[in-house]
Amino acid sequence: MRQRELKRLLKSLGQLTHAQRQKVMAELRTGERQAASVAIVEGSLGVKPSCPHCGSEHAVRNGAAHGLQRYKCRDCRKTFNALTGTPLARLRMKGKWLGQTAVLRDGVTITKAAETLGVARSTAFRWRHRFLALPKTIQAKSLVGIAETDETYFLQSFKGVRKGLTRPARKRGGCAAKRGTSKEQIPVLVTRDRAGNTADAILPADDKASVVAALGPLLPKDIILCSDGSSTLAAAAKALGVAHRPVNLSAGIHVVAGVYHVQNVNAYDSRLKDWTRRFRGVATCYLDSYLGWFRAIDRTRGAGLNPASLLASAVRI
């Protein structure tokens, strides 16, 4: 805007009614929030952006669109921006994106998120899973020292499915038809070392082969693995050739040799279950997203999850 036009605009502000001033202020706040989101998104691209189509670094600026700087690749001749090829590509209302990461930080329900952001429930649902698409992949790749592992179970859920159910729909999460573990329960293996590095895996079956496949990439040969009295976990540790220290919880033994226990992983499981309870059942097809969401929250328990860093990780790891 030219200086003369700006002066004319500022002069006209005095003629606005109170309601009109409130509307202008709301628009300005939205613009500021959008600018903040765009700055974070474009900052994640780096100083020298590479083309998401061909990987070339021979890209030049090529105008702007929808508030984002566009680039043109000199090699493949295609254009792109900071969101091209990311889970957030083509999403609108950038001014509400930091608000979306804030509701993810707070772990609220879809209905509450929609009310807070002023969007439809379908939009809040779509945003949730788009914003979690990359963060859910962030977990420990290798553990060190003493590690603890334990299985926890989530009731199989077809939440949101309206057709093709082989059983009557449950109300608000419901409960299993049988007590204890059964085919209705989805096993999740959680493994955590004493430094707080955490990894989890949704197991296809609660058996040795599935546990070995999940633990194999995580455990170096010099690690000490602690578990409860599960024979499946003991067999998996033996197959992997790692030192295993079982803790017989059913016999009232909680610590072995003053250092071997599963209290850290059990506490994590407890926090995870308490946190998911607010959703009244988690759809099994989205369970990995919720596990990754909680890992992100739990990693920053002391300082609190930063909405800006969560937005950056939703675009690029």
Side-chain angles (χ1 to χ4, degrees), residues 55-303:
S56 171
E57 293 187 350
H58 299 142
V60 294
R61 291 175 179 267
N62 189 48
H66 306 294
L68 289 169
Q69 174 67 52
R70 288 200 67 80
Y71 300 89
K72 187 169 185 177
C73 177
R74 287 180 170 176
D75 290 338
C76 70
R77 312 303 294 174
K78 293 181 179 180
T79 61
F80 64 94
N81 60 30
L83 291 175
T84 302
T86 73
L88 304 192
R90 301 185 184 280
L91 286 188
R92 300 181 180 181
M93 296 186 280
K94 297 180 184 66
K96 297 185 178 184
W97 286 8
L98 281 172
Q100 166 63 21
T101 53
V103 298
L104 286 176
R105 174 200 61 197
D106 298 337
V108 301
T109 63
I110 289 290
T111 300
K112 181 65 176 177
E115 291 173 355
T116 302
L117 298 171
V119 299
R121 289 185 78 256
S122 58
T123 299
F125 177 84
R126 184 172 66 255
W127 281 13
R128 169 176 293 182
H129 293 289
R130 289 277 201 101
F131 275 73
L132 291 174
L134 290 182
K136 74 180 182 182
T137 66
I138 303 174
Q139 61 176 323
K141 303 299 181 185
S142 181
L143 304 180
V144 295
I146 299 175
E148 305 170 23
T149 189
D150 188 31
E151 291 168 316
T152 188
Y153 297 85
F154 289 85
L155 183 62
Q156 186 179 41
S157 172
F158 299 100
K159 191 175 182 180
V161 175
R162 293 291 180 265
K163 296 181 180 179
L165 275 177
T166 57
R167 56 164 175 76
R170 300 190 187 105
K171 184 175 176 61
R172 296 185 177 275
C175 58
K178 299 179 181 178
R179 295 184 63 183
T181 58
S182 67
K183 290 184 178 180
E184 293 181 276
Q185 303 283 352
I186 305 299
V188 174
L189 184 70
V190 179
T191 311
R192 184 176 172 89
D193 64 21
R194 298 293 168 83
N197 301 309
T198 306
D200 50 52
I202 302 172
L203 302 180
D206 189 8
D207 57 19
K208 175 184 147 183
S210 299
V211 173
V212 168
L215 288 180
L218 294 172
L219 305 181
K221 292 299 181 182
D222 61 347
I223 203 163
I224 299 175
L225 183 66
C226 301
S227 73
D228 58 16
S230 167
S231 59
T232 301
L233 295 177
K238 184 176 180 180
L240 290 169
V242 298
H244 180 227
R245 299 292 182 271
V247 181
N248 192 351
L249 298 179
S250 60
I253 300 172
H254 297 281
V255 182
V256 175
V259 66
Y260 304 120
H261 57 77
V262 289
Q263 294 171 5
N264 288 328
V265 73
N266 283 344
Y268 181 91
D269 288 347
S270 179
R271 293 195 300 272
L272 172 61
K273 286 297 186 68
D274 285 343
W275 179 79
T276 56
R277 200 166 287 125
R278 70 189 69 185
F279 303 113
R280 304 296 181 91
V282 174
T284 299
C285 61
Y286 295 117
L287 180 56
D288 60 339
S289 293
Y290 284 80
L291 293 173
W293 184 4
F294 181 74
R295 284 197 308 272
I297 291 174
D298 198 71
R299 277 195 302 271
T300 57
R301 264 192 309 151

Side-chain angles (χ1 to χ4, degrees), residues 33-49:
R33 289 194 290 265
Q34 176 164 325
S37 296
V38 167
I40 293 167
V41 168
E42 293 195 325
S44 70
L45 195 58
V47 178
K48 197 171 184 181

